[in-house]
Amino acid sequence: MGHSNSKLIKAIKDTLDNDTDLYAFPGEAFYQLKHVKPYNLDRPVKPAAITYPKTKEQVAAIVKVAVEHGAKVQARSGGHSYANYCIGGVDGCVVIDMKHFQRFEMDRQTWRATVGAGMLLGDLTEKMHDAGNRAMAHGTCPQVGVGGHATIGGLGPSSRLWGTALDHIEEIEVVLADSSIVRASATQNTDIFWACRGAAASFGIVTEFVLRTEPEPGECVQFSYAFTLRPYARLARTFKQWQKFVSNPDLTRKFATSVVITEVGMVITGTFFGTRQEYDLLEMDVNFPSPQDSETILLDDWLGVVGNWAENLGLKIGGGIPAPVYTKSLTFNGCNLIPDDVVDRVFAYLDTVKTGTPLWFIIFDLEGGAINDVPQHATAYAHRDALFYMQSYAVGIPKLRKNTRVFLRGFSDMIKAGMPGGENFGSYAGYVDPELKEPQKQYWRENLPRLEQIKAKIDPNDVFSNPQSVRPAAPLSNKQ
């Protein structure tokens, strides 16, 4: 262990009063397994320290120590970064694990919830339900932490109704690079508030949220139409019909849907936030005929609805299990649809390509609706013009193979090459892709220059950093 790391370790121990429950360092038994816990086993990372503060003051003290010793800092809430960015993404980071930040309070006058940044989505759903049958938009994996999810975007089945998770944020408490603790909202520290709704990992450690909530929906219909007959090329027609169906500008916002393509075929699945009678008016059986299997379930229990999302995607058990993973993503900005001839080509590609693993998924998620009501520059999140997103990922057994990477990269490249403006596709930072060229431009698009200016003001030394985070704008003298 180097001399500088020894000084950093001593300083962290001192600032946390030598409480061994609040830190762990390299060289300790089971450091990687028990404390580092990388989500993607294909991307090894060795942080300089994992810390477990219990108060905002301890968070600030850890940031101060890290800055004094030249270390980068990242927060970990649920720890589900595809590229392990929540543990730095590269060696040597000081990780601030937010597991102790579990505060939950509901103001029953305003229906605003105060939530600690370490809370997992599954727990948040239950606490909001218990506090008055309230809810908010978020993703489907119960083990994801609200701290990262709600500050990067936060897409989920109810987003067409209520917006992204970050659209629910009314106020945050955040520790900055100078170790100050500030509140930020639409009326105070407005630049910080703007930046942290879409790019918080680059600007500070959010410790607490005040969130707008919504009344839980009443009846909901969960639906699934499975198409499992090969070849895949036969499924292209059904995917085209799905695209046509979801691109109807009059489609109700109560309708949420995904297409999930796997080794066994294709499933059109989703949730209708309304009655069975309303759902039947959509004529899903007419629009998507002849599935090999179909199911519709009427649910009037919100916890049952959210739990069903996780069960359908195998997330309740498997969502938190580390594995070697390879991912790609596309954001269909401008509400562009994939041309029919490109759909034909990519489905035919699936019939011939060597995948290298049986565990692969290509998912197209419908979004739009309330997400796109928000102006493009209202928050740092920069995809208010997207109709749907594609995320693809594959799990290596026991490790990733080269042809698995070639497979998913080829699928993504084929779509981009076949679409007008495909070379300018954006990407959602929640589906992080370490292979992106100029990733900051793809994640934050035209919002990037403002983010870089704010970064230069509040974190000029790039303390809060990972391989694809926002960098400080260069001083004007350096640009001339």
Side-chain angles (χ1 to χ4, degrees), residues 224-264:
S224 177
Y225 295 82
F227 301 86
T228 56
L229 291 182
R230 298 290 188 93
Y232 284 102
R234 294 178 56 180
L235 303 179
R237 180 179 178 182
T238 302
F239 183 86
K240 294 174 194 174
Q241 181 61 25
W242 180 83
Q243 273 203 135
K244 179 180 178 182
F245 188 86
V246 301
S247 63
N248 180 351
D250 296 324
L251 180 65
T252 174
R253 294 182 177 191
K254 294 181 178 181
F255 183 81
T257 181
S258 300
V259 169
V260 183
I261 307 169
T262 68
E263 184 76 14
V264 298

Side-chain angles (χ1 to χ4, degrees), residues 416-437:
K416 288 192 292 184
M419 292 187 66
E423 69 279 0
N424 296 318
F425 266 56
S427 288
Y428 169 45
Y431 306 146
V432 62
D433 181 349
E435 294 183 337
L436 290 178
K437 297 179 180 179

Side-chain angles (χ1 to χ4, degrees), residues 278-358:
E278 292 175 293
Y279 172 78
D280 288 342
L281 294 176
L282 294 171
E283 298 184 320
M284 292 290 286
D285 292 334
V286 175
N287 283 285
F288 304 103
S290 305
Q292 280 64 64
D293 188 26
S294 65
E295 181 180 46
T296 55
I297 303 172
L298 182 64
L299 297 169
D300 59 6
D301 167 28
W302 181 243
L303 294 185
V305 172
V306 177
N308 191 265
W309 295 339
E311 289 172 357
N312 283 347
L313 293 175
L315 296 173
K316 185 166 287 187
I317 297 175
I321 299 176
V325 178
Y326 181 75
T327 65
K328 302 296 291 183
S329 70
L330 292 174
T331 299
F332 291 82
N333 295 317
C335 295
N336 292 323
L337 302 183
I338 306 172
D340 284 354
D341 62 321
V342 178
V343 173
D344 289 333
R345 287 201 295 273
V346 295
F347 274 83
Y349 172 78
L350 293 176
D351 285 316
T352 59
V353 68
K354 295 184 183 299
T355 64
T357 175

Side-chain angles (χ1 to χ4, degrees), residues 170-186:
E170 299 287 335
E171 185 177 333
I172 57 173
E173 179 181 81
V174 57
V175 177
L176 301 179
D178 63 0
S179 69
S180 62
I181 304 168
V182 303
R183 306 290 293 193
S185 67

Side-chain angles (χ1 to χ4, degrees), residues 1-14 23-28 31 46-50 65-66 68-72 90-94:
M1 184 177 296
H3 179 62
S4 60
N5 270 6
S6 298
K7 289 184 176 180
L8 172 63
I9 289 170
K10 183 180 185 304
I12 290 174
K13 288 181 177 180
D14 289 345
Y23 51 72
F25 305 105
E28 295 183 14
Y31 177 67
K46 190 174 183 179
I50 307 292
V65 165
E68 290 172 350
H69 292 81
K72 303 299 184 183
V90 294
D91 293 349
C93 180
V94 172

Side-chain angles (χ1 to χ4, degrees), residues 363-384:
I363 303 173
F364 293 86
D365 292 310
L366 174 65
E367 302 298 346
I371 300 172
N372 295 8
D373 288 343
V374 179
Q376 187 81 340
H377 304 296
T379 67
Y381 177 79
H383 304 289
R384 302 293 181 176

Side-chain angles (χ1 to χ4, degrees), residues 39-61:
Y39 186 62
N40 188 346
L41 299 182
D42 190 57
R43 305 187 69 83
V45 177
K46 190 174 183 179
I50 307 292
T51 63
Y52 302 98
K54 293 184 177 181
T55 67
K56 59 188 177 184
E57 290 81 12
Q58 287 180 336
V59 172

